Amino acid sequence: MKKRILAAALAALMLLPLASCATGDDPADTSANTNSAEAGAEGETDFFPDIPKKDYDGAEFRMIGWTEPGDWYYADGYENTENKTSILNNTIYEMNTLVEEHLNIEMSYQTVKVVTGHEVFDTVYPQIMSGDDPYQLCTLHAYYDYPSFITGNCALDFYELESPDYDQPYWNREVMDMLSIDDRAYIGLSDLCWYSFYMIYCNKDLLKDANMKVPYDQVRNGEWTFDLFFNMTTGLYSDNGDGTRNDKDMYGFAGLWDGEGNAFLQAADIYVAKKNDDDEFELTLYSDRFVEMYDKLYAWSRDESVLCWNFHSPEYTVDFKKNQSYFTCSGLGTQYLDAEFEVGILPLPKYEKSQASYNHVNWGNNMIIPSSIRNKDMVGDVLEMMSFYSSTLVLNKYYDEVLQLRVSEAPDDRDMVELIYDTVVYDPGIAFLDGNSGLANLVYITCFGIRENNPNIASYYQKNYKIAEKTLNSLIRKVQHNNSRS
């Protein structure tokens, strides 16, 4: 990679404050971590990874995944424009350059064209089997290919790497431990990952007209719950005058019900699968808490103020930007920046006040290290530094310039986004559903149940849990067998 970054620009970027995505002791506390990155001068450093400047003699660090260059992990070059896309691209390029110059390596990224979802594994596997060291990092979709990598002995245990400090806030060790098998962390999560979350957007103008406040204070106090969310979104329907419920009417909540519906499950601290006391995975979805939660969610979805539609065959939809719904659920992004009304951001609600944390399940990328890598020291150093700089450089630029959530201009919404990033969770049920139809159906239980107008979810669960359990246990036994032979 050509080095075209001015030293002054790099130094300025390195002074940006640290933004953590790991869960803190108090998940309701939205205050930012104010540690600074390496400033380049002695005495100005609060923290920097314990990785001295090294010379890997131009070794290649090759990544492969679904994203395009400039989107998150890698950028081809510096762009002399000022739009949001180029600003993020340039920050990523600067991160890459900082790591390259510190370690004397060359970074590259290969984007695969997605057709079946298995293109990363299909590309990497033959080269691993041939004994080559083709890639040092694979960034995968939320659920494709993990079983193939792990059962095929193609995934390295992250904990074999010595450089990463997994207790630092830019790593999500809690989730990595939860997904580990035989104490081996085959799946990695850090701020380097492109996370994809579902959260709540609200129309501040409509709420003001209805004498309602955006519940920022309730969020901070841990009181933003399902019941409060349901109360604020129901009883708000109004017909446009034609006597027919359609896309011209006003709704309390209107939105696509797909991954959005799934995310309400983990938001309520309910997981399809978890580890038991014997460190083994088991299905944990069905419980009194789940039944009670689903009953409430189902009753809410039947209110005339609530419109949830199927992506594949919607009767009609309502665009949030058309000023016809008070709330919607959507992925964190830039899709509402051009709305003609003031938009507010909120986390997904907790199920109840006593719930320990807000939870936002990642439907974006996680990481796999191919088992074929030959230079573990180099890979560990790169991942530690990229995770650090993603936290200190990329996320801050993403908040400020891409999402336009500068602290000075949108302090409440900036707090909410930082809280969302601070409460990243994952579900082993999602990680291991590839090739397991029963598990996939359970992961989508709150999505399909609501869309199919199913008031009794017990029968749906019964149809799927046996095959889900059998296939999950088979996967784990195969991994344990492979480990016993190694």
Side-chain angles (χ1 to χ4, degrees):
M1 179 187 290
K2 294 181 180 179
K3 307 300 187 292
R4 293 180 288 170
I5 307 299
L6 295 175
L10 290 176
L13 278 167
M14 293 164 75
L15 286 167
L16 287 171
L18 178 65
S20 161
C21 84
T23 304
D25 294 334
D26 182 3
D29 183 0
T30 62
S31 60
N33 187 328
T34 57
N35 290 343
S36 61
E38 181 182 36
E42 186 176 356
E44 295 181 88
T45 302
D46 288 333
F47 175 83
F48 188 76
D50 187 20
I51 300 175
K53 193 174 180 67
K54 297 182 181 179
D55 184 1
Y56 284 110
D57 196 26
E60 290 188 81
F61 184 85
R62 294 177 291 262
M63 299 173 277
I64 184 171
W66 291 23
T67 60
E68 295 289 338
D71 286 350
W72 202 254
Y73 302 96
Y74 175 82
D76 286 326
Y78 197 86
E79 298 177 357
N80 292 313
T81 54
E82 292 297 327
N83 59 58
K84 297 180 184 65
T85 301
S86 65
I87 289 172
L88 185 59
N89 174 91
N90 293 348
T91 307
I92 294 168
Y93 179 67
E94 289 154 357
M95 173 187 68
N96 296 155
T97 302
L98 284 166
V99 178
E100 286 181 324
E101 292 182 343
H102 193 81
L103 301 175
N104 189 17
I105 63 167
E106 293 289 334
M107 304 177 73
S108 63
Y109 188 94
Q110 179 179 335
T111 301
V112 296
K113 182 179 180 181
V114 179
V115 179
T116 66
H118 303 289
E119 285 74 18
V120 173
F121 180 76
D122 291 345
T123 300
V124 174
Y125 179 73
Q127 299 184 58
I128 293 177
M129 291 298 99
S130 70
D132 291 337
D133 181 14
Y135 303 96
Q136 288 69 55
L137 180 66
C138 302
T139 61
L140 304 183
H141 180 270
Y143 55 75
Y144 284 117
D145 285 342
Y146 298 101
S148 297
F149 269 102
I150 296 170
T151 61
N153 285 327
C154 296
L156 185 78
D157 175 12
F158 271 78
Y159 294 155
E160 288 188 27
L161 305 179
E162 295 184 2
S163 298
D165 183 352
Y166 296 111
D167 293 324
Q168 290 298 327
Y170 44 82
W171 286 97
N172 197 327
R173 181 163 193 157
E174 182 178 355
V175 172
M176 291 174 63
D177 287 343
M178 179 182 68
L179 298 174
S180 66
I181 303 174
D182 282 350
D183 294 324
R184 304 184 188 193
Y186 298 110
I187 302 174
L189 286 85
S190 77
D191 280 0
L192 175 57
C193 295
W194 175 74
Y195 287 137
S196 179
F197 308 109
Y198 292 106
M199 26 76 67
I200 304 298
Y201 289 92
C202 63
N203 185 321
K204 292 183 179 181
D205 294 354
L206 288 179
L207 289 175
K208 183 177 180 180
D209 291 342
N211 294 318
M212 291 193 292
K213 292 183 178 181
V214 182
Y216 295 126
D217 289 340
Q218 286 89 339
V219 172
R220 294 186 176 98
N221 294 332
E223 299 172 349
W224 173 234
T225 64
F226 270 38
D227 287 343
L228 179 56
F229 172 67
F230 294 159
N231 288 338
M232 293 188 71
T233 52
T234 53
L236 295 172
Y237 173 79
S238 62
D239 184 81
N240 74 321
D242 62 8
T244 302
R245 192 171 186 264
N246 55 36
D247 62 351
K248 304 296 190 297
D249 299 338
M250 179 70 72
Y251 295 87
F253 176 94
L256 173 65
W257 199 253
D258 196 83
E260 296 85 348
N262 298 338
F264 275 79
L265 195 63
Q266 291 80 21
D269 203 28
I270 299 170
Y271 293 81
V272 176
K274 277 188 174 183
K275 281 186 175 179
N276 58 26
D277 293 338
D278 295 323
D279 209 33
E280 297 173 343
F281 291 107
E282 62 179 6
L283 299 182
T284 55
L285 174 62
Y286 204 80
S287 63
D288 290 342
R289 180 185 180 89
F290 168 71
V291 173
E292 184 180 77
M293 173 266 189
Y294 182 81
D295 287 347
K296 285 186 175 183
L297 195 64
Y298 179 81
W300 167 78
S301 71
R302 299 302 104 188
D303 189 276
E304 66 174 356
S305 292
V306 178
L307 175 65
C308 301
W309 60 83
N310 185 337
F311 175 81
H312 302 287
S313 57
E315 181 180 357
Y316 58 88
T317 65
V318 171
D319 187 347
F320 182 66
K321 289 195 292 187
K322 290 186 177 180
N323 209 31
Q324 290 175 235
S325 68
Y326 290 75
F327 293 87
T328 192
C329 181
S330 186
L332 179 64
T334 61
Q335 62 269 37
Y336 302 128
L337 288 181
D338 60 346
E340 295 181 355
F341 51 85
E342 192 174 358
V343 177
I345 294 175
L346 294 165
L348 291 178
K350 298 194 296 183
Y351 181 62
E352 57 195 357
K353 293 179 183 179
S354 60
Q355 184 175 312
S357 172
Y358 297 101
N359 296 325
H360 295 85
V361 65
N362 175 36
W363 281 94
N365 298 155
N366 303 300
M367 300 181 290
I368 288 279
I369 302 171
S371 57
S372 56
I373 64 166
R374 295 171 184 166
N375 193 334
K376 294 181 182 179
D377 289 340
M378 185 268 286
V379 172
D381 288 346
V382 173
L383 291 179
E384 176 73 355
M385 292 193 68
M386 288 189 73
S387 298
F388 170 74
Y389 280 127
S390 291
S391 176
T392 56
L393 301 185
V394 179
L395 277 180
N396 276 283
K397 189 64 68 171
Y398 181 63
Y399 295 155
D400 289 345
E401 304 295 343
V402 178
L403 298 179
Q404 297 185 19
L405 295 174
R406 298 176 184 85
V407 174
S408 60
E409 299 172 6
D412 290 322
D413 295 310
R414 172 63 173 262
D415 278 355
M416 299 299 105
V417 169
E418 290 191 3
L419 181 148
I420 290 168
Y421 266 91
D422 282 349
T423 52
V424 180
V425 299
Y426 198 41
D427 193 321
I430 299 174
F432 302 127
L433 71 77
D434 195 8
N436 187 336
S437 60
L439 196 57
N441 286 336
L442 295 183
V443 166
Y444 278 81
I445 194 168
T446 46
C447 168
F448 294 158
I450 298 300
R451 288 197 330 206
E452 296 169 6
N453 193 21
N454 186 348
N456 185 355
I457 208 64
S459 59
Y460 178 96
Y461 180 83
Q462 291 295 327
K463 290 178 182 178
N464 290 285
Y465 91 92
K466 286 187 178 180
I467 183 64
E469 184 177 55
K470 180 180 178 180
T471 308
L472 179 61
N473 288 338
S474 177
L475 181 151
I476 301 305
R477 284 196 299 269
K478 186 172 182 179
V479 176
Q480 291 173 335
H481 176 70
N482 290 344
N483 291 343
S484 68
R485 298 174 59 187
S486 60

